[in-house]
Amino acid sequence: MKIPIDQIFPDPDLPRSKRANGRRENTRSVRSKRDPVVLSTDNGYLLLAGERKLTAAKEAGETAVECTVKEEVTPQERWELSLAEQYHSSLVPAMELGRAFMEYRDSHEVTQQELARRTGITPGTIHHYESLIRTLDPALGEKVNSGELTFKEARSIADIEDHVRQREIAQPFIDGRLSSVHVERIVGRAKTSATLSIEDIIEEVVNGKRAPEREPEPAPVIQPAIPVEADTALIENAVLKIAGELDAMQLQVIPEYRRLKLISSLRILDSRLKSALSNLNGGVAGAQPVPKQYAPSKVPV
């Protein structure tokens, strides 16, 4: 229904427009085509959504505007109307809007598609705003809020996982050396050519000079170990010699200071012998075929 403009008053709970201080404002070009939504009250009509359309009607000299009038709204519906109004009217910076989308979805456990249906904002747009919070370097997020980096530039750069690489790509746009029209091509080239410097990519995208890519370093080739047949004769002779020395030691008198040192050495030898026996019983030696033992057949008497 048509409502007199002088009977519509703004919602005090909605954030007011914030102008960026940087080289560019973070205003969104998309504008809602829906009629303003108002809530009927005893004192008039509370504007829930559609500030831009209402402002345009005032500037055009109109005295009344077509509105969707609601007698009551639930807290969830009011939150959804607030999100739509914040988006379409550019009431809050992009980073805050991304957090607002995520907070609503976490609170009500809804998908991006469901939030899009409830607010009239496309699922892809909601995804881009949330990606600023999930993947964009926080330092660049501050540049978005200050207006030094536009939303278009930020959402494209957020597709790069490495924060260092993100900052390298963002700097020429922050400095004003590059226009936003180049950001998608630069990000796309950076994603497929990790070895190219950002300056080379800019030169290629802006001036058409394709930079040579460095060949990736070849992966080291690991040669499989070749088994070497062990020479056991030396070990066998040494063991027999030690066994003879141990037998002869029982008939000798050993001084105390040497006895303790000998005990320590024999314990080390005992540990090595146990390890060798375990390996031979279950390792390479255990894998070799063992000749079967045949018992002599019994002859009946």
Side-chain angles (χ1 to χ4, degrees), residues 236-252 269:
E236 292 167 359
N237 293 334
V239 169
L240 292 176
K241 183 178 180 181
I242 292 174
E245 294 289 344
L246 292 174
D247 289 339
M249 183 185 65
Q250 300 178 25
L251 304 177
Q252 300 174 5
L269 180 60

Side-chain angles (χ1 to χ4, degrees), residues 31-301:
R31 297 170 185 248
S32 175
K33 297 180 180 180
R34 296 181 296 180
D35 290 337
V37 179
V38 296
L39 178 65
S40 179
T41 68
D42 295 336
N43 300 322
Y45 297 92
L46 178 66
L47 180 67
L48 299 178
E51 183 183 45
R52 278 190 169 179
K53 194 164 186 178
L54 182 64
T55 302
K58 288 180 181 179
E59 294 174 350
E62 299 178 14
T63 58
V65 64
E66 288 281 352
C67 295
T68 298
V69 181
K70 291 184 175 291
E71 295 299 325
E72 60 180 4
V73 292
T74 65
Q76 183 175 352
E77 289 173 335
R78 188 162 182 171
W79 195 350
E80 293 159 2
L81 288 168
S82 174
L83 289 175
E85 182 69 355
Q86 291 176 48
Y87 169 71
H88 290 297
S89 300
S90 300
L91 294 180
V92 298
M95 300 299 294
E96 292 184 26
L97 186 57
R99 292 189 188 93
F101 286 149
M102 293 175 63
E103 183 181 355
Y104 173 89
R105 293 205 307 111
D106 289 342
S107 297
H108 297 286
E109 298 182 348
V110 300
T111 63
Q112 292 176 345
Q113 289 73 18
E114 178 63 15
L115 177 57
R117 185 186 68 79
R118 290 173 176 267
T119 59
I121 306 170
T122 65
T125 298
I126 294 173
H127 167 75
H128 286 316
Y129 277 95
E130 291 189 0
S131 71
L132 299 183
I133 309 301
R134 299 184 191 279
T135 60
L136 187 66
D137 177 40
L140 295 181
E142 296 178 3
K143 301 294 184 183
V144 177
N145 283 342
S146 67
E148 297 174 79
L149 198 65
T150 66
F151 169 70
K152 177 182 178 181
E153 294 163 354
R155 69 172 175 81
S156 298
I157 294 171
D159 286 341
I160 302 292
E161 295 181 358
D162 183 10
H163 283 184
V164 175
R165 189 76 159 168
Q166 285 183 6
R167 292 193 293 270
E168 291 176 351
I169 297 172
Q171 197 59 50
F173 296 97
I174 295 172
D175 295 340
R177 292 165 47 201
L178 289 177
S179 168
S180 297
V181 297
H182 300 299
V183 66
E184 292 179 350
R185 290 182 59 198
I186 289 175
V187 169
R189 190 75 173 96
K191 290 169 69 174
T192 58
S193 304
T195 59
L196 278 182
S197 70
I198 298 303
E199 293 301 324
D200 286 340
I201 293 175
I202 292 174
E203 184 72 16
E204 177 182 321
V205 171
V206 177
N207 300 323
K209 296 180 181 179
R210 192 172 184 85
E213 296 191 33
R214 296 190 297 270
E215 292 291 334
E217 295 183 3
V221 179
I222 301 176
Q223 298 290 345
I226 301 175
V228 179
E229 185 176 352
D231 184 5
T232 61
L234 180 62
I235 297 175
E236 292 167 359
N237 293 334
V239 169
L240 292 176
K241 183 178 180 181
I242 292 174
E245 294 289 344
L246 292 174
D247 289 339
M249 183 185 65
Q250 300 178 25
L251 304 177
Q252 300 174 5
V253 177
I254 302 174
E256 181 65 17
Y257 73 93
R258 295 190 60 186
R259 183 180 68 82
L260 296 176
K261 186 175 181 180
L262 183 59
I263 290 173
S264 176
S265 299
L266 289 175
R267 284 176 176 171
I268 295 174
L269 180 60
D270 179 60
S271 174
R272 297 294 188 274
L273 287 173
K274 288 179 179 177
S275 176
L277 287 172
S278 175
N279 180 60
L280 291 171
N281 289 330
V284 178
Q288 302 300 321
V290 179
K292 294 183 178 180
Q293 300 292 330
Y294 292 97
S297 56
K298 296 181 179 180
V299 180
V301 179

